[in-house]
Amino acid sequence: MAVASRLDTGRAFARVLLPTLAKGVIVRRPAVTALGEKVRADAAAVATMRRFRARYGPEPLRLRVTGRSTALLLDPVDVARLLADSPSPFALATREKTAAPAHFQPHGVLISTGEERARRRAVNDDVLRPDRIDVRGIVADEADLLLRHVRSTGGLAWDAFAQAWWRAARRIVLGSSAREDVELTDMLKALRGNANWAYLHPRRNALRERFEQRLQAHLVRREPGSLASLRPPDELLGQAPHWLFAFDAAGIVTMRALAMGGEGEAGIWESARLWPTTPVILRESTELTRWHGTWLPAGTTFVVFVPYFHRDPDRLPYADSYAPDNWPAPNDPGLVPFSGGPGICPGRDLVLVAGSTMLDALRDHLDVPTLRAPLPVTLNHFGLSYFTRK
Ligand code: HEM
């Protein structure tokens, strides 16, 4: 098995892993995201990964990290195996993850194990289906109101988009009575901000309690037409924070899809391929596992750096172009914007329906200066704005 030199281990951290963490895996930090676009941090990270693959071959690359077995995946077939064989022997609940989301969703499925995980996952799979409530209707409604704003101001920038998007998200998850509860999502944002500094920040228990109480008050209403109506509140209290937080990524993907002239669900898929909002997928092995003839110990952390698999021109002729024909069933097992296997994002269909409804409603009314290939590896969504079509 290939073991990275000390210098290359340093490069893996300096150019691939740390810049990704600095952007904020949980909440995007505007200043760092904008800086990343200027210095083309993601392009440098993808280039570094391609050099690793050329130098060390397709096997998982072991990094020289003291006291810890860490392997960077370099082959799409290995990505498929890692995701297919989750949560056992490849657990989703890695040390890093249990430190991060614990700030805002201590009972989320992502950080659960064993039977508890199976039960919570089943709740997610049952509830997060776009056909159970009128997701399209809710989003179309909010898109209409947003278009009125767009017409009166002559354009659309991130802030106005985000406000409309969050209104739709609160309605979908909790119902129309939560539509204006900006404070709820702001509290979640503050808790998620802490999660960016997972290891360092003491948990803000008071804020978390206030957030949970407020969320609970919405859930107990079980408002018809919302996801909250579909199961008893005590089953959802641990899951709904992740749902609300994950709508952030769905909004970002939608706004970026607009920037490249994307259409429909394939536009949302492609936006998530080109600019993956979950740039790092982690697994931790619960037993000894064999890779290309070499055994890796239990407790090994496996790192999938998604932008490399989505943007590798050595493998993908369309790496830096809009290629909607990839979807819904891509030929390449390395295309995993929503992950894969049993840990695949249970919210993906909801995202595709909500995102494409918003995208298609806005597109025809905006004069979008469509980005052309080669599409940039980093696209700062905070900086996107469009004028009304004349
Ligand atoms: C563009 C939007 C989104 C993207 C790209 C996305 C992507 C992902 C990815 C990559 C994972 C798996 C991480 C892993 O394998 O370790 C995941 C997990 C998850 N996502 Fe999403 N997600 C999005 C939006 C949503 C939304 C809106 C919801 C809920 C309403 C949601 C609910 C979940 C849940 C509950 C999990 C944990 C699944 C588990 O642990 O089994 N996601 N998502």
Side-chain angles (χ1 to χ4, degrees):
M1 162 113 7
V3 180
S5 66
R6 277 187 207 293
L7 190 61
D8 280 339
T9 298
R11 287 187 179 121
F13 278 94
R15 297 197 190 147
V16 180
L17 302 175
L18 294 178
T20 306
L21 294 176
K23 262 190 284 183
V25 173
I26 310 284
V27 190
R28 322 283 142 188
R29 299 197 182 91
V32 185
T33 307
L35 182 69
E37 191 172 44
K38 276 211 187 82
V39 302
R40 306 183 69 241
D42 294 306
V46 171
T48 302
M49 295 291 295
R50 289 174 65 199
R51 276 198 295 275
F52 287 167
R53 164 93 194 206
R55 188 168 306 162
Y56 296 102
E59 298 176 15
L61 180 62
R62 297 193 72 180
L63 301 181
R64 288 178 195 268
V65 184
T66 328
R68 199 139 170 202
S69 172
T70 307
L72 206 51
L73 294 202
L74 293 173
D75 196 87
V77 173
D78 290 343
V79 172
R81 170 189 167 195
L82 187 82
L83 300 180
D85 294 348
S86 305
S88 176
F90 303 116
L92 284 88
T94 62
R95 275 168 265 192
E96 287 73 15
K97 266 187 235 162
T98 41
H103 283 276
F104 62 92
Q105 42 140 8
H107 307 292
V109 59
L110 201 57
I111 57 171
S112 310
T113 54
E115 287 207 353
E116 206 165 54
R117 170 176 171 79
R119 214 173 42 245
R120 288 172 177 166
R121 174 74 203 198
V123 170
N124 278 276
D125 284 332
D126 178 48
V127 172
L128 299 179
R129 294 208 319 255
D131 52 338
R132 296 200 64 184
I133 61 167
D134 185 15
V135 173
R136 218 176 277 282
I138 294 174
V139 177
D141 231 32
E142 296 299 336
D144 265 359
L145 290 169
L146 179 59
L147 279 170
R148 270 191 230 169
H149 163 88
V150 164
R151 276 185 221 106
S152 72
T153 60
L156 176 67
W158 172 255
D159 282 348
F161 173 84
Q163 278 172 30
W165 184 256
W166 279 116
R167 284 192 189 113
R170 287 186 298 262
R171 280 177 67 182
I172 291 169
V173 177
L174 302 168
S176 298
S177 331
R179 179 176 185 268
E180 297 301 336
D181 195 350
V182 176
E183 205 182 330
L184 179 83
T185 25
D186 282 353
M187 278 196 256
L188 185 60
K189 209 166 166 181
L191 288 165
R192 290 158 51 201
N194 294 342
N196 278 338
W197 302 109
Y199 297 111
L200 306 177
H201 209 292
R203 295 185 189 180
R204 283 204 191 166
N205 284 328
L207 180 59
R208 204 180 82 200
E209 268 164 34
R210 269 203 298 135
F211 168 74
E212 282 197 351
Q213 273 165 15
R214 208 172 170 111
L215 179 61
Q216 175 78 352
H218 287 300
L219 289 173
V220 294
R221 271 197 324 270
R222 300 193 70 173
E223 192 176 312
S226 73
L227 300 181
S229 70
L230 303 175
R231 306 279 286 222
D234 58 317
E235 284 184 23
L236 301 188
L237 186 62
Q239 310 310 314
H242 185 135
W243 302 346
L244 287 168
F245 125 81
F247 264 97
D248 193 24
I252 293 170
V253 162
T254 304
M255 192 71 167
R256 285 176 178 154
L258 211 49
M260 63 170 176
E263 287 180 41
E265 293 192 3
I268 300 295
W269 278 112
E270 270 297 270
S271 172
R273 173 183 71 86
L274 289 156
W275 302 285
T277 54
T278 308
V280 176
I281 296 177
L282 297 174
R283 294 289 185 269
E284 193 171 303
S285 56
T286 52
E287 58 190 60
L288 201 64
T289 55
R290 190 185 160 103
W291 296 85
H292 304 263
T294 308
W295 293 94
L296 286 178
T300 297
T301 301
F302 292 88
V303 181
V304 179
F305 182 65
V306 179
Y308 164 63
F309 290 102
H310 287 188
R311 289 290 194 114
D312 178 9
D314 300 330
R315 230 179 56 247
L316 311 170
Y318 50 79
D320 297 325
S321 326
Y322 176 54
D325 295 345
N326 276 324
W327 309 102
N331 290 324
D332 189 292
L335 301 189
V336 289
F338 291 100
S339 189
I344 195 168
C345 174
R348 68 198 180 287
D349 289 342
L350 207 61
V351 171
L352 293 170
V353 169
S356 62
T357 304
M358 184 60 98
L359 175 64
D360 292 348
L362 297 180
R363 200 186 46 245
D364 294 342
H365 300 274
L366 295 170
D367 191 11
V368 179
T370 308
L371 294 169
R372 305 245 170 263
L375 295 168
V377 186
T378 311
L379 184 60
N380 175 16
H381 58 281
F382 293 114
L384 295 174
S385 62
Y386 315 108
F387 291 108
T388 319
R389 185 165 282 184
K390 292 284 175 298

